[in-house]
Amino acid sequence: MMTTSNSSPFAACAVSNVTRESLSSISVSCVEREASERSYYPVLENLLNEFPKEAKKYSVLVESRKSSVGIPDFKVETSKNLLIGYIEAKDLGKDLDRLSKGEQEQIEKYLKEYPKLIVTNFIEFRLYENGEKVDSVLISQPITLKLKQPVLTNEPKFKGLLERFYSTIIPKVYSSKQLAELLARKTHVLRDLVREEIDLGDNETTSTEELLDAFKKTLRPDISEDDFADMYAQTVTYGLFSARLNAGEKDFNRATAYDYIPQTIPLLKRIFFLISGQNIQQHIKWQADEIAEILANTDIDKIQNEFFKQGKGRDPIIHFYETFLSEYDPKERAKRGVYYTPEPVVSYITKSIHKLLKYKFMKKDGFADNSVTVLDPAAGTLTFLANAIYLAKDELVSRYGSGSWNSLVKEHILKNFYAFEILMAPYTVGHLKIALLLKESGYEMTEQDRFKLYLTNTLDFEKVEELPLLMLAKEITDESKKAFDIKTKEPVLV
């Protein structure tokens, strides 16, 4: 954050004390120093810090560097890291109705991505909520600044604008569609920020670059920087989503998300240990904070109820994930063929196998038979195995009643159902899906339970050796070793 100068025009004064002398100071700075936009940041920072009646309950963060991806210049949050809003500053006195094409596109992008935004040229302040302008105040005229005779105007209205900015909060999210779309837009920005972080090429290696290096050396030597940025961003979002579901009514933010990632998914746990810390780059931290804030303001019980009780079908996460992807990057989705096997096709295939197991392989309970081992070698988000689990439950209940379901999950499904996936985002979503599916079916996973979905290259039969001192090396190697044992030792039937 930039250091606040004690000589700033608005320093140590509330809005009611913004005087002609303050504006005169801006005017003198403008004319004599030919100051740049950023040189006025301490003026605005002080004003924002001094305005609230209980200033200590808020913090104003200044963007550490300009980003080509684009993040507003200021972020204002509460002492508990809850987001108030963002502020984008243009050069002093610049006509906000005559911005360059690039600047206008930037503002339009921000209006779509940020629920509360002030755009200012230090004398005009425009407040936007959910993309709509709700207030605008001009506190002086540009010509009076140039003449070194600034006139303060609209002081009460200016105070009202700031009061509204500080008093309103991010609206609560009540539908899975709205949540998927919001998360997609934020994840898109996060992806571009991660990619930019890699491109900076500073002498000091960042944790982001270390993660990329770890994935190249242990799992995917051919992973491109674009693919890594995409993987990283989606993993952060869906990891936060998983943590939010586990948090329930407890306090939730980026820093606490680590506590709600199950110990039984050590790779994801380790990634969130890094994300929850203070060493994460500021731009990435801001965006992760906002994704967590959206999730914290989500009626999570209503979302879960919508998943399972309102006709979403037996694979609700697919509906959610496809909504997310269509908003996240529809062109890239189409180019890469990121579409999932239609549920009727999945249903036909799994039901056919279930019957074959019963009538051709003499496994009388089909997928519910304790001697049946199942592997999906390219699991994606576990659509096929989810369907197989539902068939196992239906078979068990129809034959023996529901009383033995928890035992079947513990002794069969969590032991004999396997899955491999090479992409981190579907791997994360897959673990989330199984936890939700089992919870909805009546089985609550404990800290000792893990579904045997592993991050691995299915076609790689080389035993992975741990590389000392490499970030995530132990966690990725452990995943690979467990997958290797299944590849080489487990007599998989299906």
Side-chain angles (χ1 to χ4, degrees):
M1 189 191 297
M2 294 181 64
T3 303
T4 300
S5 169
N6 291 330
S7 60
S8 298
F10 290 158
C13 65
V15 177
S16 60
N17 294 321
V18 177
T19 63
R20 179 172 299 166
E21 287 75 16
S22 300
L23 290 171
S24 295
S25 298
I26 297 177
S27 176
V28 170
S29 298
C30 176
V31 174
E32 295 183 358
R33 291 164 45 203
E34 296 183 348
S36 67
E37 168 195 311
R38 291 187 76 87
S39 67
Y40 296 106
Y41 281 10
V43 175
L44 188 53
E45 183 185 357
N46 276 348
L47 174 62
L48 294 167
N49 273 321
E50 292 295 333
F51 172 71
K53 293 178 180 178
E54 299 176 83
K56 292 182 180 179
K57 289 190 175 182
Y58 301 93
S59 59
V60 179
L61 307 175
V62 184
E63 183 193 30
S64 59
R65 61 172 171 79
K66 275 294 183 186
S67 165
S68 61
V69 173
I71 288 181
D73 301 308
F74 296 84
K75 176 185 179 183
V76 183
E77 61 184 27
T78 71
S79 58
K80 293 185 177 180
N81 302 120
L82 298 177
L83 179 65
I84 296 296
Y86 288 90
I87 299 169
E88 174 65 15
K90 298 303 178 187
D91 204 7
L92 177 65
K94 186 164 191 174
D95 190 338
L96 298 181
D97 290 320
R98 295 185 178 181
L99 300 176
S100 68
K101 182 181 178 182
E103 288 174 320
Q104 189 57 47
E105 288 175 350
Q106 178 196 52
I107 296 299
E108 289 172 359
K109 177 173 174 284
Y110 290 169
L111 292 179
K112 184 178 180 182
E113 292 170 358
Y114 301 104
K116 189 161 47 171
L117 176 74
I118 287 178
V119 179
T120 182
N121 58 9
F122 298 95
I123 58 172
E124 183 180 0
F125 293 78
R126 296 180 177 182
L127 174 61
Y128 296 85
E129 293 178 359
N130 299 315
E132 300 293 328
K133 185 165 71 174
V134 296
D135 203 355
S136 179
V137 181
L138 186 68
I139 65 170
S140 188
Q141 293 294 333
I143 187 64
T144 65
L145 291 177
K146 294 178 181 179
L147 295 174
K148 299 184 184 180
Q149 295 177 335
V151 177
L152 179 66
T153 60
N154 298 318
E155 188 176 338
K157 190 176 180 184
F158 182 38
K159 183 178 180 181
L161 180 145
L162 288 184
E163 283 179 343
R164 177 162 182 168
F165 177 75
Y166 275 96
S167 64
T168 54
I169 60 172
I170 292 178
K172 209 167 184 69
V173 178
Y174 289 101
S175 79
S176 59
K177 183 176 186 296
Q178 181 190 9
L179 179 61
E181 291 171 346
L182 279 171
L183 293 180
R185 292 198 288 270
K186 299 302 177 187
T187 308
H188 191 284
V189 176
L190 179 59
R191 180 194 67 184
D192 293 346
L193 289 171
V194 172
R195 186 67 180 86
E196 182 184 72
E197 197 70 42
I198 297 168
D199 280 341
L200 286 176
D202 295 337
N203 292 329
E204 184 178 345
T205 302
T206 66
S207 60
T208 305
E209 292 169 311
E210 289 180 10
L211 275 173
L212 171 59
D213 189 45
F215 273 89
K216 279 187 172 182
K217 290 180 178 176
T218 59
L219 186 66
R220 294 185 60 193
D222 61 338
I223 190 170
S224 69
E225 292 172 347
D226 286 340
D227 285 346
F228 173 78
D230 178 69
M231 177 208 76
Y232 186 107
Q234 288 199 55
T235 301
V236 169
T237 295
Y238 276 91
L240 286 169
F241 185 37
S242 300
R244 176 67 184 92
L245 287 164
N246 291 332
E249 298 303 316
K250 299 173 185 174
D251 286 342
F252 180 79
N253 55 49
R254 174 188 58 85
T256 63
Y258 169 80
D259 297 332
Y260 305 116
I261 300 291
Q263 294 281 357
T264 49
I265 317 175
L267 177 56
L268 194 58
K269 188 84 172 174
R270 177 61 178 164
I271 288 174
F272 268 82
F273 174 78
L274 302 173
I275 290 169
S276 66
Q278 296 305 310
N279 292 331
I280 184 173
Q281 288 70 36
Q282 186 195 61
H283 286 71
I284 295 173
K285 173 181 176 293
W286 279 20
Q287 203 65 18
D289 278 339
E290 189 161 339
I291 292 169
E293 176 73 0
I294 288 169
L295 289 164
N297 277 281
T298 295
D299 188 331
I300 210 67
D301 289 337
K302 190 172 187 302
I303 298 295
Q304 290 195 71
N305 181 66
E306 185 180 335
F307 276 170
F308 293 108
K309 307 298 182 184
Q310 298 180 12
K312 285 287 183 182
R314 283 191 153 183
D315 199 351
I317 293 295
I318 282 296
H319 295 276
F320 185 83
Y321 196 42
E322 288 196 323
T323 301
F324 171 90
L325 288 173
S326 63
E327 179 74 23
Y328 174 63
D329 197 337
K331 291 182 180 178
E332 192 66 16
R333 178 192 181 197
K335 186 173 80 174
R336 295 189 184 187
V338 185
Y339 294 93
Y340 295 91
T341 311
E343 288 180 70
V345 177
V346 174
S347 178
Y348 175 78
I349 291 171
T350 51
K351 283 180 179 177
S352 298
I353 293 171
H354 185 58
K355 289 181 179 178
L356 284 170
L357 287 169
K358 291 170 68 175
Y359 303 118
K360 298 294 185 181
F361 285 79
M362 304 307 157
K363 307 292 184 181
K364 65 175 183 176
D365 296 330
F367 281 118
D369 196 297
N370 280 304
S371 65
V372 171
T373 49
V374 187
L375 168 69
D376 189 336
T381 58
L382 294 177
T383 304
F384 279 91
L385 285 180
N387 221 273
I389 290 171
Y390 277 119
L391 287 171
K393 183 181 181 185
D394 289 346
E395 184 71 28
L396 184 81
V397 171
S398 66
R399 280 178 171 269
Y400 312 108
S402 59
S404 54
W405 170 238
N406 280 2
S407 176
L408 187 78
V409 173
K410 192 86 173 175
E411 301 302 324
H412 176 46
I413 290 172
L414 295 181
K415 287 185 177 180
N416 299 325
F417 280 45
Y418 309 107
F420 298 155
E421 176 53 47
I422 196 171
L423 299 178
M424 189 71 201
Y427 166 88
T428 304
V429 174
H431 276 292
L432 167 62
K433 177 191 288 183
I434 292 299
L436 285 173
L437 181 158
L438 293 178
K439 181 178 180 180
E440 188 266 342
S441 73
Y443 184 89
E444 191 85 42
M445 293 183 76
T446 69
E447 281 294 319
Q448 286 70 49
D449 289 332
R450 175 187 172 146
F451 188 77
K452 292 182 177 179
L453 163 62
Y454 297 110
L455 191 71
T456 185
N457 180 351
T458 300
L459 301 180
D460 186 358
F461 277 77
E462 294 293 324
K463 195 166 187 177
V464 178
E465 298 299 330
E466 185 176 334
L467 298 174
L469 304 179
L470 190 65
M471 182 184 289
L472 292 182
K474 181 182 185 305
E475 290 80 10
I476 294 177
T477 303
D478 285 348
E479 293 274 313
S480 296
K481 285 179 178 177
K482 289 170 182 174
F484 181 79
D485 286 343
I486 297 166
K487 294 173 188 178
T488 56
K489 299 175 183 178
E490 194 63 46
V492 174
L493 180 59
V494 181

PDB file of all heavy atoms in Angstrom, residues 354-369:
ATOM      1  N   HIS A 354     -24.633 -52.235 -15.020  1.00  0.00           N
ATOM      2  CA  HIS A 354     -25.244 -52.756 -13.793  1.00  0.00           C
ATOM      3  C   HIS A 354     -25.958 -54.086 -14.075  1.00  0.00           C
ATOM      4  O   HIS A 354     -25.811 -55.058 -13.314  1.00  0.00           O
ATOM      5  CB  HIS A 354     -26.237 -51.720 -13.259  1.00  0.00           C
ATOM      6  CG  HIS A 354     -26.847 -52.055 -11.938  1.00  0.00           C
ATOM      7  ND1 HIS A 354     -26.106 -52.271 -10.798  1.00  0.00           N
ATOM      8  CD2 HIS A 354     -28.158 -52.206 -11.574  1.00  0.00           C
ATOM      9  CE1 HIS A 354     -26.918 -52.547  -9.786  1.00  0.00           C
ATOM     10  NE2 HIS A 354     -28.172 -52.506 -10.233  1.00  0.00           N
ATOM     11  N   LYS A 355     -26.676 -54.157 -15.174  1.00  0.00           N
ATOM     12  CA  LYS A 355     -27.383 -55.396 -15.554  1.00  0.00           C
ATOM     13  C   LYS A 355     -26.396 -56.494 -15.946  1.00  0.00           C
ATOM     14  O   LYS A 355     -26.588 -57.672 -15.596  1.00  0.00           O
ATOM     15  CB  LYS A 355     -28.349 -55.122 -16.696  1.00  0.00           C
ATOM     16  CG  LYS A 355     -29.570 -54.306 -16.286  1.00  0.00           C
ATOM     17  CD  LYS A 355     -30.514 -54.088 -17.462  1.00  0.00           C
ATOM     18  CE  LYS A 355     -31.745 -53.286 -17.027  1.00  0.00           C
ATOM     19  NZ  LYS A 355     -32.663 -53.026 -18.174  1.00  0.00           N
ATOM     20  N   LEU A 356     -25.349 -56.110 -16.683  1.00  0.00           N
ATOM     21  CA  LEU A 356     -24.346 -57.105 -17.082  1.00  0.00           C
ATOM     22  C   LEU A 356     -23.664 -57.712 -15.851  1.00  0.00           C
ATOM     23  O   LEU A 356     -23.402 -58.919 -15.803  1.00  0.00           O
ATOM     24  CB  LEU A 356     -23.284 -56.453 -17.975  1.00  0.00           C
ATOM     25  CG  LEU A 356     -23.694 -56.166 -19.414  1.00  0.00           C
ATOM     26  CD1 LEU A 356     -22.651 -55.302 -20.106  1.00  0.00           C
ATOM     27  CD2 LEU A 356     -23.885 -57.471 -20.190  1.00  0.00           C
ATOM     28  N   LEU A 357     -23.385 -56.885 -14.875  1.00  0.00           N
ATOM     29  CA  LEU A 357     -22.771 -57.381 -13.646  1.00  0.00           C
ATOM     30  C   LEU A 357     -23.673 -58.407 -12.956  1.00  0.00           C
ATOM     31  O   LEU A 357     -23.210 -59.442 -12.466  1.00  0.00           O
ATOM     32  CB  LEU A 357     -22.485 -56.216 -12.683  1.00  0.00           C
ATOM     33  CG  LEU A 357     -21.319 -55.300 -13.046  1.00  0.00           C
ATOM     34  CD1 LEU A 357     -21.316 -54.055 -12.160  1.00  0.00           C
ATOM     35  CD2 LEU A 357     -19.976 -56.029 -12.920  1.00  0.00           C
ATOM     36  N   LYS A 358     -24.965 -58.134 -12.971  1.00  0.00           N
ATOM     37  CA  LYS A 358     -25.907 -59.009 -12.281  1.00  0.00           C
ATOM     38  C   LYS A 358     -26.154 -60.311 -13.034  1.00  0.00           C
ATOM     39  O   LYS A 358     -26.149 -61.395 -12.433  1.00  0.00           O
ATOM     40  CB  LYS A 358     -27.231 -58.272 -12.078  1.00  0.00           C
ATOM     41  CG  LYS A 358     -27.143 -57.121 -11.073  1.00  0.00           C
ATOM     42  CD  LYS A 358     -28.389 -56.251 -11.076  1.00  0.00           C
ATOM     43  CE  LYS A 358     -29.601 -56.994 -10.533  1.00  0.00           C
ATOM     44  NZ  LYS A 358     -30.782 -56.102 -10.420  1.00  0.00           N
ATOM     45  N   TYR A 359     -26.326 -60.222 -14.346  1.00  0.00           N
ATOM     46  CA  TYR A 359     -26.821 -61.391 -15.102  1.00  0.00           C
ATOM     47  C   TYR A 359     -25.753 -62.110 -15.916  1.00  0.00           C
ATOM     48  O   TYR A 359     -25.940 -63.260 -16.305  1.00  0.00           O
ATOM     49  CB  TYR A 359     -27.978 -60.970 -16.003  1.00  0.00           C
ATOM     50  CG  TYR A 359     -29.112 -60.328 -15.221  1.00  0.00           C
ATOM     51  CD1 TYR A 359     -29.500 -59.022 -15.454  1.00  0.00           C
ATOM     52  CD2 TYR A 359     -29.776 -61.047 -14.223  1.00  0.00           C
ATOM     53  CE1 TYR A 359     -30.531 -58.431 -14.731  1.00  0.00           C
ATOM     54  CE2 TYR A 359     -30.798 -60.460 -13.488  1.00  0.00           C
ATOM     55  CZ  TYR A 359     -31.158 -59.147 -13.738  1.00  0.00           C
ATOM     56  OH  TYR A 359     -32.173 -58.569 -13.009  1.00  0.00           O
ATOM     57  N   LYS A 360     -24.622 -61.462 -16.201  1.00  0.00           N
ATOM     58  CA  LYS A 360     -23.553 -62.117 -16.960  1.00  0.00           C
ATOM     59  C   LYS A 360     -22.331 -62.428 -16.096  1.00  0.00           C
ATOM     60  O   LYS A 360     -21.606 -63.369 -16.366  1.00  0.00           O
ATOM     61  CB  LYS A 360     -23.111 -61.233 -18.132  1.00  0.00           C
ATOM     62  CG  LYS A 360     -24.202 -60.957 -19.155  1.00  0.00           C
ATOM     63  CD  LYS A 360     -24.613 -62.230 -19.896  1.00  0.00           C
ATOM     64  CE  LYS A 360     -25.631 -61.910 -21.002  1.00  0.00           C
ATOM     65  NZ  LYS A 360     -26.044 -63.164 -21.705  1.00  0.00           N
ATOM     66  N   PHE A 361     -22.103 -61.609 -15.053  1.00  0.00           N
ATOM     67  CA  PHE A 361     -20.948 -61.811 -14.193  1.00  0.00           C
ATOM     68  C   PHE A 361     -21.341 -62.372 -12.832  1.00  0.00           C
ATOM     69  O   PHE A 361     -20.503 -62.531 -11.954  1.00  0.00           O
ATOM     70  CB  PHE A 361     -20.191 -60.488 -14.007  1.00  0.00           C
ATOM     71  CG  PHE A 361     -19.390 -60.078 -15.200  1.00  0.00           C
ATOM     72  CD1 PHE A 361     -19.996 -59.482 -16.301  1.00  0.00           C
ATOM     73  CD2 PHE A 361     -18.020 -60.287 -15.242  1.00  0.00           C
ATOM     74  CE1 PHE A 361     -19.273 -59.103 -17.409  1.00  0.00           C
ATOM     75  CE2 PHE A 361     -17.275 -59.907 -16.349  1.00  0.00           C
ATOM     76  CZ  PHE A 361     -17.896 -59.310 -17.444  1.00  0.00           C
ATOM     77  N   MET A 362     -22.621 -62.612 -12.660  1.00  0.00           N
ATOM     78  CA  MET A 362     -23.148 -63.224 -11.440  1.00  0.00           C
ATOM     79  C   MET A 362     -22.834 -62.414 -10.184  1.00  0.00           C
ATOM     80  O   MET A 362     -22.630 -62.962  -9.103  1.00  0.00           O
ATOM     81  CB  MET A 362     -22.615 -64.666 -11.268  1.00  0.00           C
ATOM     82  CG  MET A 362     -22.909 -65.541 -12.454  1.00  0.00           C
ATOM     83  SD  MET A 362     -24.684 -65.502 -12.883  1.00  0.00           S
ATOM     84  CE  MET A 362     -24.667 -65.973 -14.595  1.00  0.00           C
ATOM     85  N   LYS A 363     -22.817 -61.100 -10.357  1.00  0.00           N
ATOM     86  CA  LYS A 363     -22.689 -60.204  -9.207  1.00  0.00           C
ATOM     87  C   LYS A 363     -24.108 -59.732  -8.888  1.00  0.00           C
ATOM     88  O   LYS A 363     -24.601 -58.777  -9.488  1.00  0.00           O
ATOM     89  CB  LYS A 363     -21.778 -59.019  -9.525  1.00  0.00           C
ATOM     90  CG  LYS A 363     -20.408 -59.407 -10.087  1.00  0.00           C
ATOM     91  CD  LYS A 363     -19.552 -60.112  -9.031  1.00  0.00           C
ATOM     92  CE  LYS A 363     -18.163 -60.399  -9.579  1.00  0.00           C
ATOM     93  NZ  LYS A 363     -17.327 -61.114  -8.580  1.00  0.00           N
ATOM     94  N   LYS A 364     -24.776 -60.445  -7.987  1.00  0.00           N
ATOM     95  CA  LYS A 364     -26.218 -60.300  -7.829  1.00  0.00           C
ATOM     96  C   LYS A 364     -26.670 -58.884  -7.453  1.00  0.00           C
ATOM     97  O   LYS A 364     -27.799 -58.497  -7.738  1.00  0.00           O
ATOM     98  CB  LYS A 364     -26.748 -61.296  -6.795  1.00  0.00           C
ATOM     99  CG  LYS A 364     -26.233 -61.049  -5.379  1.00  0.00           C
ATOM    100  CD  LYS A 364     -26.899 -62.012  -4.400  1.00  0.00           C
ATOM    101  CE  LYS A 364     -26.443 -61.721  -2.973  1.00  0.00           C
ATOM    102  NZ  LYS A 364     -27.132 -62.574  -1.990  1.00  0.00           N
ATOM    103  N   ASP A 365     -25.774 -58.107  -6.849  1.00  0.00           N
ATOM    104  CA  ASP A 365     -26.154 -56.746  -6.453  1.00  0.00           C
ATOM    105  C   ASP A 365     -25.588 -55.678  -7.382  1.00  0.00           C
ATOM    106  O   ASP A 365     -25.664 -54.476  -7.093  1.00  0.00           O
ATOM    107  CB  ASP A 365     -25.692 -56.457  -5.019  1.00  0.00           C
ATOM    108  CG  ASP A 365     -26.389 -57.355  -4.000  1.00  0.00           C
ATOM    109  OD1 ASP A 365     -27.541 -57.747  -4.271  1.00  0.00           O
ATOM    110  OD2 ASP A 365     -25.787 -57.647  -2.959  1.00  0.00           O
ATOM    111  N   GLY A 366     -25.008 -56.113  -8.510  1.00  0.00           N
ATOM    112  CA  GLY A 366     -24.491 -55.147  -9.470  1.00  0.00           C
ATOM    113  C   GLY A 366     -23.424 -54.255  -8.846  1.00  0.00           C
ATOM    114  O   GLY A 366     -22.490 -54.735  -8.196  1.00  0.00           O
ATOM    115  N   PHE A 367     -23.548 -52.960  -9.050  1.00  0.00           N
ATOM    116  CA  PHE A 367     -22.568 -52.015  -8.498  1.00  0.00           C
ATOM    117  C   PHE A 367     -22.531 -52.055  -6.966  1.00  0.00           C
ATOM    118  O   PHE A 367     -21.551 -51.621  -6.360  1.00  0.00           O
ATOM    119  CB  PHE A 367     -22.885 -50.585  -8.947  1.00  0.00           C
ATOM    120  CG  PHE A 367     -22.452 -50.263 -10.351  1.00  0.00           C
ATOM    121  CD1 PHE A 367     -23.394 -49.914 -11.312  1.00  0.00           C
ATOM    122  CD2 PHE A 367     -21.118 -50.324 -10.717  1.00  0.00           C
ATOM    123  CE1 PHE A 367     -23.007 -49.613 -12.612  1.00  0.00           C
ATOM    124  CE2 PHE A 367     -20.719 -50.024 -12.008  1.00  0.00           C
ATOM    125  CZ  PHE A 367     -21.652 -49.663 -12.957  1.00  0.00           C
ATOM    126  N   ALA A 368     -23.565 -52.551  -6.347  1.00  0.00           N
ATOM    127  CA  ALA A 368     -23.602 -52.628  -4.881  1.00  0.00           C
ATOM    128  C   ALA A 368     -22.903 -53.872  -4.354  1.00  0.00           C
ATOM    129  O   ALA A 368     -22.756 -54.033  -3.136  1.00  0.00           O
ATOM    130  CB  ALA A 368     -25.054 -52.606  -4.391  1.00  0.00           C
ATOM    131  N   ASP A 369     -22.450 -54.765  -5.239  1.00  0.00           N
ATOM    132  CA  ASP A 369     -21.784 -55.993  -4.815  1.00  0.00           C
ATOM    133  C   ASP A 369     -20.387 -55.674  -4.300  1.00  0.00           C
ATOM    134  O   ASP A 369     -19.595 -55.008  -4.965  1.00  0.00           O
ATOM    135  CB  ASP A 369     -21.699 -56.970  -5.991  1.00  0.00           C
ATOM    136  CG  ASP A 369     -21.374 -58.377  -5.535  1.00  0.00           C
ATOM    137  OD1 ASP A 369     -20.281 -58.562  -4.978  1.00  0.00           O
ATOM    138  OD2 ASP A 369     -22.209 -59.270  -5.736  1.00  0.00           O
TER     139      ASP A 369
END
